[in-house]
Amino acid sequence: MIELKDIYKIYQTGDTTVHALDGISLHIDDGEFVAIVGQSGSGKSTCMNIIGCLDIPTSGKYILDGVDVSMLSDDELSYIRKNKIGFIFQQYNLIQKLNVINNVELPLIYKRISKSKRLEKAREALKRVGLENMEHRYPQQLSGGQQQRVSIARALAGKPSVILADEPTGALDSKTGIDVLQLIKELNDEGNTIVLVTHDNSIAMQAKRVVRLQDGKIIEDTVIKES
Amino acid sequence: MILIVGLGNGVTNKIEDTFEEMGSNVITAAAYMQTSSKHIEYDGLEELVAQDDNITKFSPYVITNVNVRVERKERTITVIGVSSSYLSIRNREIEYGRNIEYIDEKREQRVCLIGNHTIKKLFGEKTPIEEVVGKNVRINGTLFKVIGVLNELSTSSFSTEDDLFLIPYTVAQKEFAQKYITTFYFSYLDKESAKTATDVIDKYYYQVFKDADDYIIVDAQSIMDSMNETIDTIKMVLIAIAGISLLVGGIGIMNIMLVSVTERTREIGIRKAIGADKRDVLMQFIIEAITTSGLGGVLGILLGIFLTNTVSKAFEIRGDVGIAAILIASGISTFIGIIFGYLPANKAANLHPIDALRYE
């Protein structure tokens, strides 16, 4: 469960102050599929970074699964990330010199899970995204869609509370994009909480709830489909 | 660095060997010009040596190169006239037969000791040394009886110490028409007495010649000491050079680590985003630094040992790398690797994951 209460993120560059997030309050329940949409500069990326514990708000409270994470230290945020958050990035962000299975098991290494368990979970996640026979390939040997699937498997492997997808289809052609989006939808059907960030309305409409940001404020919060 | 230290030790060993061969506890005294009024008498030195406790033994040294004939073989060989003390002064031994004795000197017996190499030259490669003793050789036309064979020094095949005849000095003086003995060898008690012994001999010679330019007295120990001093200086310079190269190597490692951290900022961002904490990132880079510099260290040591051995063989020196050089060199290279691996890694680990992720 994600609870944002009156979140501000203010950047100070020289004399100008930018309110990237200007008093955001948002509640996301377990199992929801929320799309955060907005133009570039609307604050959607900042919002995602804060939800993903990559960044901390200037003020306001962020409660994730009952824990206030808004003022945690760097290492404490790492701890939250590895246990609660799974990331899917636009650029996949796989580590090029590691093969597929090693990429997927990476978050499990940081969770100090034993080798045999790690491999088991990583294989399970790969199977879920349909790449079970590509374990030993390297990222550059895969297509964009396959790489994004690997990154989805990596996000899944740690069984996070929430999967954050930042423009997951942005780097893919439309056909592959649809496939990846379909996979994300299925993951939600299986009970995963998904927060998808995009600038593309048609993609946002695939989610069950749309939160529209503009100039750091929520201007729309619509439930499209009951879950 | 390994190579330099190894070769440095090799050169020192070589020089020490050479001196060992010469007999390091030896003083040599040589007079340039002797006349009937100014010359060194054997009896006078005998008295001097008997009186002074620092000097233990002495021997004349009358050296010439003459033709030596055995049956049909004839060669030019070094023949040295010595006293019975010569072998013990020079740390030599009789391998078979007997030494020249006092009685041989007094009675001017035409007897000789033969070097191991000389046997091969004159009697043939495979002649047993036992067979040579008792044979006659014709030195400078005169028949000499071989009474003993010298032990083989064998440190190098071309050593002149293994290719010679020793005969009683009295016989040598007569045979080679040397009225006065030019050179004497002295042995002394121990290292401490070297200086006093040299002084005593010098004083005696000065009394005879009244001019220090007429003779020369050389103490092998003092030569060796000053040689060693020079070698130590050379070694220090070499180590300094090695140190500088180590420093340069260290800067190289530092740059590699810095570049690799900069290049991999994005990777660090990814790792942090999926849950790595500072310690995870640091450990990764430190382990990489250790393996990089450690592997380099091992390769360097192997290469150093290999080159030292190769060069040693080529120059016939006893190269010796020494465990200290290995430990210091690999220790420093690993240390540099860790330090310069740690510092930039620490910087990277402290980066905010979003900044690191955005890094292009």
Side-chain angles (χ1 to χ4, degrees), chain A residues 49 54-55 74-75 78 81-82 87 89 91 93-95 97-98 106-107 110 112 154, chain B residues 264 266-267 270-280 284 288 352-354 357-358:
Chain A
N49 288 338
L54 289 171
D55 204 355
D74 198 45
D75 277 353
S78 285
R81 283 198 296 272
K82 73 182 166 198
F87 281 101
F89 299 98
Q91 295 299 334
N93 281 349
L94 299 175
I95 291 171
K97 65 178 180 196
L98 297 181
L106 204 53
Y110 296 133
R112 313 273 185 268
R154 183 177 65 185
Chain B
R264 290 160 63 190
R266 205 178 150 78
E267 178 189 327
I270 299 170
R271 286 175 184 270
K272 287 196 84 173
I274 61 175
D277 57 27
K278 231 181 268 180
R279 211 171 48 124
D280 294 323
Q284 183 199 339
E288 271 172 33
H352 238 283
I354 35 171
L357 267 179
R358 281 200 201 110

Side-chain angles (χ1 to χ4, degrees), chain B residues 39-311:
Chain B
H39 64 268
I40 302 294
E41 292 270 6
Y42 182 89
D43 295 345
L45 284 178
E46 195 170 31
E47 211 171 297
L48 179 80
V49 172
Q51 276 167 7
D52 196 282
D53 287 343
N54 291 304
I55 311 168
T56 48
K57 283 173 181 159
F58 83 107
S59 167
Y61 188 81
V62 183
I63 184 165
T64 42
N65 286 312
V66 291
N67 279 335
V68 180
R69 227 181 123 139
V70 174
E71 284 156 14
R72 301 220 162 272
K73 275 187 195 160
E74 189 167 327
R75 295 275 189 281
T76 303
I77 311 254
T78 304
V79 177
I80 308 170
V82 296
S83 75
S84 54
S85 311
Y86 181 74
L87 290 189
S88 69
I89 293 171
R90 300 299 305 274
N91 279 327
R92 297 295 301 267
E93 273 160 25
I94 296 286
E95 194 171 335
Y96 187 80
R98 67 169 181 91
N99 193 0
I100 295 167
E101 273 155 30
Y102 181 70
I103 197 88
D104 300 319
E105 298 165 14
K106 286 299 131 191
R107 292 193 179 163
E108 298 174 14
Q109 297 285 347
R110 289 184 165 67
V111 292
C112 65
L113 302 175
I114 188 169
N116 238 298
H117 232 73
T118 321
I119 295 178
K120 286 177 191 147
K121 266 193 186 169
L122 287 174
F123 291 89
E125 285 287 337
K126 298 211 168 68
T127 315
I129 56 170
E130 294 83 0
E131 262 177 39
V132 178
V133 173
K135 288 256 167 71
N136 285 324
V137 295
R138 205 171 276 277
I139 298 176
N140 209 19
T142 314
L143 270 184
F144 280 72
K145 192 175 162 196
V146 178
I147 54 167
V149 179
L150 293 169
N151 65 329
E152 195 171 4
L153 285 180
S154 81
T155 41
S156 50
S157 53
F158 41 82
S159 166
T160 53
E161 298 291 329
D162 281 332
D163 185 14
L164 44 59
F165 282 102
L166 297 179
I167 60 175
Y169 71 94
T170 47
V171 180
Q173 271 183 284
K174 203 170 240 175
E175 283 295 321
F176 311 132
Q178 297 211 3
K179 196 167 183 210
Y180 306 112
I181 298 165
T182 321
T183 311
F184 284 93
Y185 273 56
F186 300 85
S187 65
Y188 46 85
L189 207 54
D190 48 31
K191 273 189 180 176
E192 285 71 40
S193 51
K195 182 90 181 66
T196 332
T198 314
D199 288 348
V200 169
I201 296 163
D202 188 75
K203 209 169 135 197
Y204 180 84
Y205 269 70
Y206 193 80
Q207 269 175 9
V208 173
F209 291 102
K210 310 275 189 274
D211 185 350
D213 288 340
D214 280 355
Y215 62 91
I216 182 165
I217 292 164
V218 178
D219 164 21
Q221 188 62 42
S222 70
I223 296 181
M224 187 140 158
D225 285 350
S226 64
M227 277 295 241
N228 274 340
E229 224 167 272
T230 315
I231 290 165
D232 280 349
T233 317
I234 296 171
K235 260 194 188 167
M236 289 309 290
V237 173
L238 289 177
I239 287 173
I241 294 171
I244 292 168
S245 60
L246 213 52
L247 185 75
V248 173
I251 294 169
I253 294 176
M254 181 181 78
N255 277 333
I256 291 168
M257 293 313 296
L258 272 173
V259 168
S260 94
V261 169
T262 316
E263 266 176 3
R264 290 160 63 190
T265 305
R266 205 178 150 78
E267 178 189 327
I268 293 167
I270 299 170
R271 286 175 184 270
K272 287 196 84 173
I274 61 175
D277 57 27
K278 231 181 268 180
R279 211 171 48 124
D280 294 323
V281 175
L282 263 182
M283 283 304 287
Q284 183 199 339
F285 276 87
I286 288 171
I287 288 169
E288 271 172 33
I290 293 172
T291 39
T292 309
S293 53
L295 193 72
V298 170
L299 282 178
I301 289 167
L302 292 181
L303 190 70
I305 292 174
F306 172 73
L307 284 179
T308 304
N309 288 341
T310 316
V311 177

